[in-house]
Amino acid sequence: MNSGIDLQASFIESLNQLGIPSGAAKALWIPFPSFLMIIGATVGVLVVVWLERKISAAAQQRIGPEYAGPLGVLQPVADGIKLVFKEDVIPAKADPWLFTLGPVLVVLPVFVSYLIVPFGQNLVITDLNVGIFFWIALSSIAPIGLLMAGYASNNKYSLLGGLRAAAQSISYEIPLALSVLAIVMMSNSLSTIDIVEQQSGYGILGWNIWRQPVGFFIFWIAALAECERLPFDLPEAEEEIVAGYQTEYAGMKFALFYLGSYVNLVLSALVFAILYLGGWEFPVPLDKLAEWLGVSEDSSWLQVITASLGITMTVLKAYFLVFIAVLMRWTVPRVRIDQLLDLGWKFLLPVSLVNLLLTAALKLAFPVAFGG
Amino acid sequence: MNLAEGVQVISFAILAALVIIAALGVVLLENIVYSAFLLGGVFISISGIYVLLNADFVAAAQVLIYVGAVNVLILFAIMLVNKKQDYSNLPGRWIKRGATALVCGGLFALLATMVLITPWSLESNAPGLIENTVVEIGKHFFSDFLLPFELASVLLLMAMVGAIVLARRDFIPDTLPTEDGIVTSLQLPERLSELESRELSASKSSEV
């Protein structure tokens, strides 16, 4: 594999050429990835909010947002600005500290998880050895934020909603982790880069989706439940329990919950693309193609093309999954809380356990195909 | 001191202060829910210290197990148990307090001597930074820590299978079925379907 583009080195080098000493250049680099992460995640959310309106409008045979910008692309921005300027109400008997901290605790881990999402060989903020484990660990903080929000609202519905949300999030974490573990076992690494590289080489034929047909269903169901997307949006089911733990929230604090769930959806879609759909890989193996055409791997224009193709492929795959999630929202009815817990504990958990054991057995039996 | 070392020292100071303040808050605050939330803060700060020590896997495991599982369990327990107990002044209360203080002081002294007498300085030829901590942990698990690892994994597998069994178990009534049959569920009075109501009226008319 070619090394591709190294953002950090080229950034520091270009600052060096401008006459800035390398220490200062490194210090300037430190906040850069976090800004990149926040901007990337926020733009992703704006696109998803717009897409959700457009797709749902198409599903219901209406037009959707039209007036804010061409085809209503500025509609999510307008929503965001509206939420920023709304009055930030804290109920009189609520606990002001926990009430403020709750949404922060829900949003922050999701944003931090973007650290491990690779868009190319070197287009990743940190290549952690424990990348995918880091994502699972961070996503387990969210229930605390939900409980905190539910408790601090000083409202029985909110407390119940928070407990429901936390219970849902906990019960779907185990099948999620087990299905990810099967992938990790096949690729012999927890690093997201290694997981994608293990799938490369044969183009679309090498993607994990063919080797983990059960695992990817479990992963997608569990990821939807973690994001509180529609078949599983019980915590905020707007008809029955009136928004659950979000009941008392208004303005920017509500916007944080809203943002958090959408950022989580995009993140889950990205992680799904990395785990099962070959990440940044093109359906045709590009390096083989370059070899056949006689192009050197080190030529800079090829690297630029592969890097931009990598970003495009990752985003395309992720948004394909987001499209499926949005379409599901308008086609699938909501489950009840007992059905939700039954599905999680009685069906997904045993199936994912069997899937894990089967993967281990297949890995021992066919080490060639299952990453020996 | 270069940039990396400076960042490390400052992060260590912040994390240590966070651990101490949050831990004091856990013990001293009156509201038990605050204590539970602050416990999560302690665990997260400790995982930050693990990150500073280059133990990335342990840090992630700390967050997953202590914050995601233990602390959420504690919170659930606190929020679901609604027990109001009147405060009563026990006569020999100072004995309890004294005993607690003695035990805590003894533990503190023990740990302090352990910290002081342990030679913390690393050897000069210490192996450099471990590139892949997961591989190293795996090697240790399957060589010198094999027994605890196997015991823990069997225990966890038992817990998981037990959870599935508990969830799949159908409801077994405590009382034995009486002679006049088992009442399975409450049946709501429903409007009869068209066919049934016609049959009913037909039978009634034949009786008349």
Side-chain angles (χ1 to χ4, degrees):
Chain A
M1 274 307 278
N2 53 1
S3 60
I5 296 166
D6 191 350
L7 269 184
Q8 180 175 8
S10 49
F11 180 83
I12 291 170
E13 204 173 297
S14 60
L15 279 186
N16 268 338
Q17 282 165 358
L18 288 174
I20 298 169
S22 65
K26 277 177 190 160
L28 277 177
W29 167 261
I30 290 173
F32 189 66
S34 2
F35 279 130
L36 211 65
M37 191 170 79
I38 291 171
I39 291 170
T42 314
V43 170
V45 169
L46 293 182
V47 174
V48 173
V49 171
W50 177 74
L51 269 182
E52 175 135 64
R53 286 164 179 233
K54 277 297 183 187
I55 297 171
S56 60
Q60 296 178 339
Q61 297 190 341
R62 55 190 168 84
I63 297 170
E66 273 289 290
Y67 298 106
L71 288 174
V73 280
L74 293 179
Q75 190 62 45
V77 181
D79 286 346
I81 292 170
K82 184 195 86 173
L83 283 167
V84 168
F85 285 108
K86 258 191 166 180
E87 189 187 355
D88 189 16
V89 185
I90 296 181
K93 290 202 172 170
D95 191 315
W97 286 96
L98 296 186
F99 194 75
T100 315
L101 213 58
V104 176
L105 269 186
V106 174
V107 169
L108 209 60
V110 188
F111 270 98
V112 177
S113 301
Y114 270 81
L115 284 176
I116 58 142
V117 176
F119 290 94
Q121 184 73 22
N122 278 318
L123 293 175
V124 55
I125 292 173
T126 47
D127 177 19
L128 289 178
N129 282 325
V130 290
I132 210 76
F133 185 50
F134 179 75
W135 173 62
I136 291 173
L138 277 180
S139 69
S140 74
I141 298 181
I144 292 205
L146 301 178
L147 283 174
M148 197 180 267
Y151 170 77
S153 302
N154 203 358
N155 172 339
K156 289 189 179 66
Y157 297 106
S158 299
L159 182 59
L160 276 178
L163 288 172
R164 279 163 65 124
Q168 167 179 344
S169 166
I170 292 166
S171 32
Y172 280 82
E173 202 143 284
I174 304 169
L176 185 83
L178 284 179
S179 59
V180 171
L181 203 58
I183 296 283
V184 168
M185 208 151 61
M186 286 194 339
S187 44
N188 296 318
S189 173
L190 288 164
S191 154
T192 42
I193 303 261
D194 291 353
I195 289 174
V196 175
E197 285 201 338
Q198 175 256 338
Q199 304 173 53
S200 67
Y202 299 102
I204 193 168
L205 294 175
W207 293 355
N208 273 336
I209 192 165
W210 311 120
R211 283 178 282 182
Q212 285 287 323
V214 183
F216 101 89
F217 274 116
I218 298 167
F219 182 88
W220 190 233
I221 293 173
L224 282 180
E226 289 269 308
C227 307
E228 295 163 9
R229 288 293 302 183
L230 195 93
F232 308 103
D233 73 335
L234 298 157
E236 62 224 54
E238 62 263 23
E239 290 95 3
E240 299 106 75
I241 56 169
V242 199
Y245 60 88
Q246 302 173 346
T247 311
E248 305 290 341
Y249 281 90
M252 205 53 211
K253 293 197 185 97
F254 171 76
L256 278 183
F257 279 127
Y258 194 72
L259 185 74
S261 83
Y262 276 101
V263 175
N264 209 352
L265 178 66
V266 179
L267 179 71
S268 298
L270 282 169
V271 173
F272 188 100
I274 289 158
L275 289 179
Y276 293 96
L277 299 181
W280 67 79
E281 292 290 331
F282 199 67
V284 183
L286 271 185
D287 46 335
K288 293 268 165 59
L289 211 63
E291 208 175 290
W292 291 333
L293 294 176
V295 184
S296 163
E297 276 189 3
D298 301 324
S299 53
S300 57
W301 61 270
L302 182 72
Q303 289 191 1
V304 169
I305 286 179
T306 45
S308 45
L309 252 182
I311 297 176
T312 323
M313 283 318 294
T314 320
V315 171
L316 262 183
K317 286 168 186 171
Y319 275 96
F320 170 66
L321 294 159
V322 168
F323 171 74
I324 292 177
V326 174
L327 211 58
M328 263 173 107
R329 177 171 182 171
W330 301 97
T331 41
V332 181
R334 181 183 296 134
V335 296
R336 274 198 326 263
I337 187 87
D338 60 323
Q339 292 170 337
L340 173 101
L341 294 177
D342 274 1
L343 179 71
W345 289 100
K346 288 189 192 173
F347 181 72
L348 286 185
L349 181 55
V351 169
S352 57
L353 209 57
V354 169
N355 182 46
L356 180 67
L357 293 177
L358 258 184
T359 312
L362 284 172
K363 183 180 159 118
L364 289 177
F366 307 103
V368 184
F370 287 86
Chain B
M1 189 159 60
N2 61 18
L3 186 70
E5 282 176 5
V7 170
Q8 207 166 356
V9 167
I10 293 171
S11 334
F12 177 73
I14 294 173
L15 284 170
L18 267 178
V19 171
I20 293 171
I21 294 169
L24 282 178
V26 172
V27 184
L28 297 177
L29 283 181
E30 290 284 312
N31 191 338
I32 192 170
V33 178
Y34 283 0
S35 297
F37 282 130
L38 278 175
L39 193 62
V42 176
F43 290 145
I44 288 182
S45 319
I46 290 176
S47 108
I49 290 181
Y50 283 140
V51 171
L52 282 185
L53 293 170
N54 283 324
D56 47 2
F57 187 84
V58 184
Q62 166 91 8
V63 173
L64 180 69
I65 294 166
Y66 284 94
V67 181
V70 173
N71 201 28
V72 171
L73 191 71
I74 291 174
L75 279 169
F76 259 89
I78 289 173
M79 288 185 178
L80 289 179
V81 172
N82 184 19
K83 195 183 177 195
K84 284 225 168 104
Q85 204 166 19
D86 288 331
Y87 181 76
S88 58
N89 221 341
L90 289 170
R93 196 150 168 266
W94 63 272
I95 303 178
K96 276 188 188 172
R97 289 193 157 185
T100 316
L102 209 69
V103 169
C104 292
L107 260 179
F108 184 76
L110 214 65
L111 288 174
T113 42
M114 190 273 285
V115 168
L116 287 178
I117 64 171
T118 310
W120 289 109
S121 61
L122 291 170
E123 313 132 47
S124 52
N125 60 349
L129 186 66
I130 296 170
E131 275 298 314
N132 198 337
T133 47
V134 184
V135 173
E136 288 298 313
I137 291 173
K139 279 178 187 162
H140 280 296
F141 270 158
F142 282 98
S143 55
D144 37 358
F145 295 108
L146 185 62
L147 184 68
F149 173 68
E150 285 297 329
L151 283 180
S153 45
V154 168
L155 184 74
L156 284 176
L157 189 66
M158 275 160 60
M160 190 128 41
V161 173
I164 299 169
V165 169
L166 275 181
R168 291 191 73 93
R169 190 180 60 178
D170 294 321
F171 178 66
I172 303 163
D174 289 333
T175 53
L176 288 169
T178 49
E179 283 181 8
D180 47 75
I182 314 158
V183 181
T184 47
S185 61
L186 182 71
Q187 288 216 323
L188 289 172
E190 276 184 57
R191 209 173 66 183
L192 294 171
S193 67
E194 208 172 322
L195 192 73
E196 283 171 330
S197 61
R198 211 179 295 154
E199 276 176 10
L200 199 68
S201 60
S203 65
K204 267 183 188 167
S205 61
S206 67
E207 276 171 25
V208 172

